[in-house]
Amino acid sequence: MARLKLDFVQVIRSKRKTYYYFRREGYPRKELPGRLGSDEFMRAYAEALREEREEVGASGTLPGSMKALAVAWRKSNQFKELKAPSQKSYTRLIDSFIEIHGNKMVKTAEPRHIRAILESMSRTPAQANALRNVLRQMFQFAFDHGWRTDNPVRDIKKLKYKKKPFPTWSEADIEAFESRWPLGTRARLALALLLYTGQRRSDVICMGPKNIHNGSIEVVQEKTEAHLFIPMHPQLLAAIEAGPCGEQAFLVTQTGKPFASGNAFYNWFKECAIKAGVQAKLGPHGLRKAAARRMAEAGCTPHQIASITGHQSLAEVERYTKGVRQRVVAEEAMQRLVGLGE
């Protein structure tokens, strides 16, 4: 049976139902009713597609509105030159913003208006600051192209909050997980890939047989575009050989397909961790930190650790391994103190 492929259609599947949305640049997504290809679905899709093809300034978008600015900015080279992860996160923020404020006029926005919107998000300060960053770029685009004579977001400060670092897996946590999920299980393979490559979940789910070269795993990080060759740890090699592995990607779902997104993998892996009795607050990123911790405990320098993790800032590596450095330095200091008393 031929598979129906339609532009701008986003598919979200849950255990009970499959949802279809029409999603286009600079606009809130619209749910499409009925089954894919049904008369009801196709009528709604045709209407959404017609609106998508209309010029900015027609009935779908008010000239000079925030929605019109969002459309123009996302068509600009400034937006297109952003890295793919940034485009994805910016799109999500823009879509949420214009669902509420899309018809408000760009020229009438004042700093107090933007500040009020951000302060209304005080329960999620990281999201508020991310939106501030997006709006600052959008309004700078508006200034550069004559929509405004200033940038109302320029002098708005970030919301202050104490950032909670991702907790690191301890050796006891790792042992508990390995006891529950032995070699030959998907969960154990996932743990080994995270722990012995030190990579983010978005990169781990893309690793497959094609990435193995001369005893190393080749990685091009999605977030930073860093190109790495990570030597294969014996424990990782054992986990890969035990499987089960997919043909395109090592990690696959129960249906044998690669994970569709890092979030889907995150949810599944968290369930596996909880079943192993691991603290609920621990997730995949904590194993990236555990990898850095282990290397620091083995005496690796920040440069050596960064060559594995791909961190572009040594300060970030040092933050990951701060506890290890404090303990080692304290032990050295105490040994010297004891030596003075002998």
Side-chain angles (χ1 to χ4, degrees), residues 43-245:
R43 283 195 298 270
Y45 175 76
E47 175 63 19
L49 190 62
R50 182 190 64 77
E51 293 178 358
E52 192 277 332
R53 289 172 176 167
E54 289 181 343
E55 296 287 338
V56 172
S59 59
T61 305
L62 293 174
S65 66
M66 289 302 306
K67 183 185 291 186
L69 175 60
V71 172
W73 182 58
R74 290 181 55 182
K75 289 181 178 179
S76 70
N77 288 333
Q78 183 188 44
F79 183 86
K80 292 177 180 178
E81 289 175 357
L82 294 171
K83 294 177 181 178
S86 295
Q87 290 188 9
K88 184 177 180 180
S89 63
Y90 285 13
T91 295
R92 176 177 52 79
L93 290 165
I94 293 170
D95 286 350
S96 297
F97 178 80
I98 63 175
E99 281 183 10
I100 302 173
H101 307 286
N103 288 331
K104 294 178 180 178
M105 304 309 291
V106 174
K107 65 180 181 181
T108 61
E110 298 179 17
R112 61 188 178 91
H113 300 143
I114 306 299
R115 192 175 290 109
I117 292 171
L118 298 178
E119 289 177 351
S120 71
M121 301 171 64
S122 59
R123 291 187 178 181
T124 55
Q127 285 291 95
N129 289 338
L131 177 60
R132 167 190 168 275
N133 178 46
V134 172
L135 292 177
R136 184 162 52 84
Q137 294 184 57
M138 284 178 57
F139 276 105
Q140 186 60 41
F141 176 87
F143 171 75
D144 293 339
H145 291 79
W147 293 46
R148 288 185 62 99
T149 59
D150 65 344
N151 182 340
V153 191
R154 185 189 62 184
D155 297 325
I156 295 179
K157 296 181 180 179
K158 292 181 178 180
L159 299 186
K160 292 184 178 181
Y161 69 100
K162 188 174 182 180
K163 187 176 181 180
K164 294 182 179 180
F166 288 100
T168 307
W169 287 53
S170 67
E171 291 304 312
D173 295 319
I174 295 171
E175 289 176 8
F177 192 99
E178 291 180 336
S179 295
R180 174 63 177 81
W181 303 106
L183 289 173
T185 61
R186 292 187 300 134
R188 180 60 170 272
L189 176 61
L191 176 92
L193 286 165
L194 290 162
L195 184 59
Y196 295 111
T197 69
Q199 301 304 302
R200 302 175 183 86
R201 65 178 186 258
S202 58
D203 297 316
V204 166
I205 62 174
C206 295
M207 295 177 184
K210 64 183 181 300
N211 298 103
I212 297 180
H213 305 285
N214 299 321
S216 295
I217 291 184
E218 181 182 16
V219 178
V220 179
Q221 292 185 330
E222 181 184 53
K223 182 177 181 179
T224 66
E225 297 182 356
H227 195 176
L228 310 173
F229 284 92
I230 303 171
M232 188 85 70
H233 191 283
Q235 293 288 343
L236 176 55
L237 182 60
I240 292 175
E241 290 179 344
C245 297

